[in-house]
Amino acid sequence: MLRSAAAQKDPVSAPVEPMVDSQLFQQVLEEVRQRRHEFDAGSHVPRDMIERFKQVGIYRAATPKCFGGDALAPALFLQMIERISEADGSAGWVASFGSAGVYLAALPVETLAELYADSPDLVFAGGLFPLQPAEAVEGGWQVNGTWKFASGCKGADLLGVGIGASAAGGKPRTAVFPASQVEIVENWDVVGLKGTGSHDLRVSDKFVEDRWTFIRGGAATIDEPLFRYPSIAYAAQVLAVVNLGLARAALDEISRMAGGGGITGAPKLSDRAYVRIEVAKAEAKLMAARSFFYNATEQVWDSILAGNPVTPEQTSLLRLSAIHVSQAGAEVVQSAYSLAGTTAIYLRHPLQRYLRDSMVVTQHAFLSEGLYDGAGSVYLGVPPFPGYI
């Protein structure tokens, strides 16, 4: 079974069922470490790496069991993404969309059967915003427009785009196309998570049958436990956990640096009291946030397995844990970067990568500071803003 170094210290988040072969997973992690500069330089994780992720089950993790998938318990998938993110944040971010099957499960069952007819390993990516108007025509929709932030689009089999028709509560309708029918506008030029390939998508006058559209966050047509887990909250969690991996990597880097002296001849890091104090504080912050994150995940999952409906309070707890762990992880990386001193200003230094990547994670709409308002509203019994629950 796979366990991160952090999970070994934290029995709360220990895996609860067998996972992929740990030796194969370690090989994939090492390949990610060796190739992360390549991902940045090319602004995407290439298809051969996506194939490696398939081998360890990333792209069947959210495929229904009835179609040959694993429908993996959320905590187990999150731990996999955490470990990949320790090796490279961009790779972890792209792999996190292996969870997208929870969205796709809102498609009609017949459509899902067609999707998974050849393999349970399906790579889906989407650029849902800004929502573009679509013309309702007989049997479906005529789609035109350009969408942003389609992370992992260059390695995807299917691409989704957000169209103007939406359900109650403001949840967007998503139109699904074979990747060959969607133009990728390569414009991902950013400060962090450079390897995610979050380019724009463009669709020009394409018809999509209604059965190839779904409401993102809508009710699943598959009755399996994973598809009763709150899909929007899960989407936030799989992104937030990237910062757990980056924070662990940053603290490990400081540990490696601790035995060396400073450029100016100052004492080595491990001999400086303020460094020891700040490292201890950072470790406590990381582990506390991590425990909250996985405790919330397993609490809701256990309730689902017991046959209980998910409550608004549980959904809010998941979202709060995601926001919190994203922020806490970024703060730990910032602390590690500060402790490293001048050495960390070089662009090829690992802490530069961790710093830039972790700050981009916190900028995502699912993880922004303003979402604390939704959690506070639920806690105080006030209706939260639309789309939060």
Side-chain angles (χ1 to χ4, degrees):
M1 294 195 294
L2 293 177
R3 297 185 66 179
S4 70
Q8 292 169 5
K9 302 172 188 175
D10 181 12
V12 167
S13 60
V16 293
E17 63 183 69
M19 293 176 66
V20 300
D21 177 78
S22 63
Q23 184 175 1
L24 175 60
F25 192 66
Q26 291 297 334
Q27 292 171 357
V28 170
L29 292 179
E30 184 55 32
E31 185 173 346
V32 169
R33 289 188 190 93
Q34 295 297 323
R35 298 181 63 183
R36 57 190 185 181
H37 294 296
E38 173 195 339
F39 305 158
D40 272 15
S43 293
H44 72 286
V45 176
R47 283 188 178 270
D48 66 315
M49 194 72 244
I50 298 298
E51 291 299 317
R52 294 287 276 159
F53 288 159
K54 285 183 180 180
Q55 291 173 11
V56 296
I58 292 296
Y59 293 107
R60 65 176 57 199
T63 298
K65 290 185 177 182
C66 63
F67 295 119
D70 293 338
L72 202 63
L76 298 180
F77 183 74
L78 290 165
Q79 288 170 32
M80 294 179 77
I81 301 307
E82 182 182 357
R83 291 297 309 282
I84 295 170
S85 301
E86 286 183 43
D88 178 55
S90 289
W93 188 270
V94 169
S96 78
F97 291 96
S99 65
V102 298
Y103 285 156
L104 293 174
L107 286 165
V109 173
E110 310 78 50
T111 304
L112 290 170
E114 189 173 336
L115 271 183
Y116 296 119
D118 295 329
S119 171
D121 298 295
L122 189 68
V123 186
F124 176 78
L128 301 184
F129 297 101
L131 292 178
Q132 301 291 344
E135 180 186 358
V137 296
E138 184 177 356
W141 307 87
Q142 203 70 21
V143 180
N144 286 279
T146 301
W147 296 262
K148 302 191 73 63
F149 303 121
S151 299
C153 59
K154 295 191 72 172
D157 306 313
L158 293 171
L159 292 169
V161 296
I163 58 177
S166 63
K171 294 177 180 177
R173 181 175 294 274
T174 301
V176 178
F177 292 94
S180 60
Q181 294 186 19
V182 181
E183 178 188 357
I184 296 174
V185 182
E186 297 194 26
N187 59 357
W188 188 241
D189 185 18
V190 290
V191 69
L193 294 179
K194 295 176 67 175
T196 61
S198 304
H199 302 292
D200 287 4
L201 301 180
R202 181 178 294 150
V203 174
S204 301
D205 202 27
K206 297 286 186 182
F207 171 75
V208 60
E209 292 181 75
D210 196 55
R211 71 187 186 95
W212 287 95
T213 72
F214 64 92
I215 301 301
R216 191 183 69 153
T221 58
I222 301 297
D223 187 19
E224 294 179 11
L226 179 61
F227 308 103
R228 296 195 290 271
Y229 195 85
S231 59
I232 300 298
Y234 194 29
Q237 287 187 295
V238 300
L239 300 179
V241 79
V242 171
N243 266 3
L244 277 183
L246 290 169
R248 174 54 54 200
L251 288 180
D252 287 350
E253 183 62 28
I254 286 295
S255 180
R256 283 189 288 272
M257 295 173 64
I263 293 173
T264 62
K268 58 186 180 182
L269 292 178
S270 59
D271 287 342
R272 306 181 203 179
Y274 77 89
V275 171
R276 297 192 297 267
I277 291 168
E278 291 304 316
V279 165
K281 287 181 178 179
E283 180 70 22
K285 177 179 289 187
L286 178 60
M287 295 308 296
R290 187 176 190 276
S291 291
F292 171 36
F293 182 78
Y294 282 112
N295 270 323
T297 301
E298 295 194 7
Q299 176 183 319
V300 175
W301 181 244
D302 287 345
S303 180
I304 288 171
L305 293 180
N308 301 316
V310 177
T311 66
E313 291 76 16
Q314 288 176 324
T315 300
S316 183
L317 185 69
L318 296 177
R319 298 211 68 176
L320 177 60
S321 74
I323 304 161
H324 180 64
V325 89
S326 169
Q327 299 284 338
E331 289 167 8
V332 167
V333 175
Q334 175 70 57
S335 179
Y337 173 81
S338 298
L339 291 173
T342 307
T343 304
I345 71 173
Y346 290 93
L347 284 174
R348 299 286 283 190
H349 195 282
L351 284 169
Q352 269 287 332
R353 175 189 301 274
Y354 306 148
L355 180 69
R356 290 180 279 115
D357 287 353
S358 68
M359 297 312 297
V360 173
V361 171
T362 64
Q363 298 296 92
H364 193 277
F366 280 175
L367 302 171
S368 68
E369 188 87 8
L371 290 170
Y372 280 113
D373 177 57
S377 296
V378 172
Y379 183 78
L380 296 175
V382 177
F385 54 81
Y388 176 74
I389 299 297

